[in-house]
Amino acid sequence: MSARFVSLVALVALCAFGCESAPTVPPPVAAGLEGTDPNVATYLTGILEQARQDPNSARARANLGMAYEMSGRIQAAYDSYHQAALLEPSNPKWIYLEAVTKAELGDLEGALAILDGMLALDDTYTPAYLFRGQWLLDLGRVEEAGQAYTQATRLSRNQLAPWIGIAKVHLRSGRPEDAVQVLQNLLQRSPSHPFLNQLAGQAFRE
């Protein structure tokens, strides 16, 4: 058996295990710019060109997604974050941004599925649990929302947002007394917080 034949066999074997894993990612998303402010259009065109010049860069796709998101082009932003996640599937940041824009497009179930993938890579990011809790509340899945907010309190015990989520879960579950107790503790820390006062008023009324 010749050395050349052995090398070819080895190459075929490597491709069988590795070549299929290389992602096939479309070109960077080019969103329509009709009616866009000239300065914004110039900026977006420049970011798009950077992504085109470095087609294998997940960060370049994510930067394009951020530019589209800031300019209100949410579908283009989502598509760009999705491409970034395909190029660098081990980076939870791109998956997180993909999930958030999926929710902005109105697909909360889809956003939750994407966020689950992100949390499988990094389960220590508090904002992911805050979004998860809110989306579950919006879907009426109150018990699961409570679990998400509880995990957020474990990760960031001194932040207000996870505890506000817990109070909202209590209210949605018909436990206004529990909500009042949580909110009174929060108001001791931040007595002038407008949303806390609004939520506390709702809890007292109920």
Side-chain angles (χ1 to χ4, degrees):
M1 184 180 295
S2 69
R4 177 180 173 80
F5 179 76
V6 172
S7 297
L8 286 172
V9 170
L11 180 60
V12 169
L14 283 172
C15 279
F17 288 99
C19 293
E20 290 182 359
S21 63
T24 301
V25 181
V29 178
L33 300 178
E34 299 81 3
T36 304
D37 178 272
N39 292 328
V40 174
T42 298
Y43 173 72
L44 293 175
T45 300
I47 299 294
L48 173 59
E49 186 57 32
Q50 291 175 17
R52 285 172 171 165
Q53 290 176 3
D54 196 357
N56 295 319
S57 169
R59 180 167 294 278
R61 303 292 178 110
N63 288 342
L64 182 60
M66 293 175 195
Y68 283 144
E69 188 175 4
M70 286 188 294
S71 69
R73 293 165 170 81
I74 304 303
Q75 182 65 59
Y78 165 76
D79 292 338
S80 298
Y81 292 141
H82 178 65
Q83 290 181 351
L86 288 175
L87 286 167
E88 195 176 4
S90 62
N91 192 330
K93 290 187 296 184
W94 314 144
I95 306 173
Y96 170 76
L97 293 170
E98 181 187 4
V100 171
T101 46
K102 188 73 166 177
E104 291 179 26
L105 290 169
D107 185 358
L108 297 184
E109 294 284 5
L112 285 167
I114 295 170
L115 198 65
D116 284 344
M118 176 264 169
L119 290 171
L121 295 173
D122 181 4
D123 62 358
T124 64
Y125 191 49
T126 302
Y129 289 102
L130 295 177
F131 272 117
R132 180 174 175 77
Q134 185 57 59
W135 298 340
L136 288 166
L137 269 183
D138 291 341
L139 290 168
R141 294 158 62 179
V142 181
E143 183 177 349
E144 293 175 78
Q147 294 169 359
Y149 285 127
T150 297
Q151 182 61 25
T153 64
R154 292 178 183 137
L155 293 170
S156 301
R157 188 166 187 81
N158 294 324
Q159 287 188 15
L160 292 178
W163 293 105
I164 291 174
I166 293 289
K168 290 193 293 185
V169 168
H170 286 323
L171 285 172
R172 289 285 295 274
S173 301
R175 300 189 299 267
E177 297 87 353
D178 293 336
V180 166
Q181 184 176 354
V182 171
L183 292 167
Q184 284 179 328
N185 291 334
L186 296 180
L187 284 168
Q188 290 178 1
R189 294 162 49 188
S190 185
S192 60
H193 193 293
F195 184 67
L196 280 179
N197 283 282
Q198 177 186 347
L199 204 58
Q202 178 185 346
F204 276 116
R205 286 193 301 272
E206 294 186 13

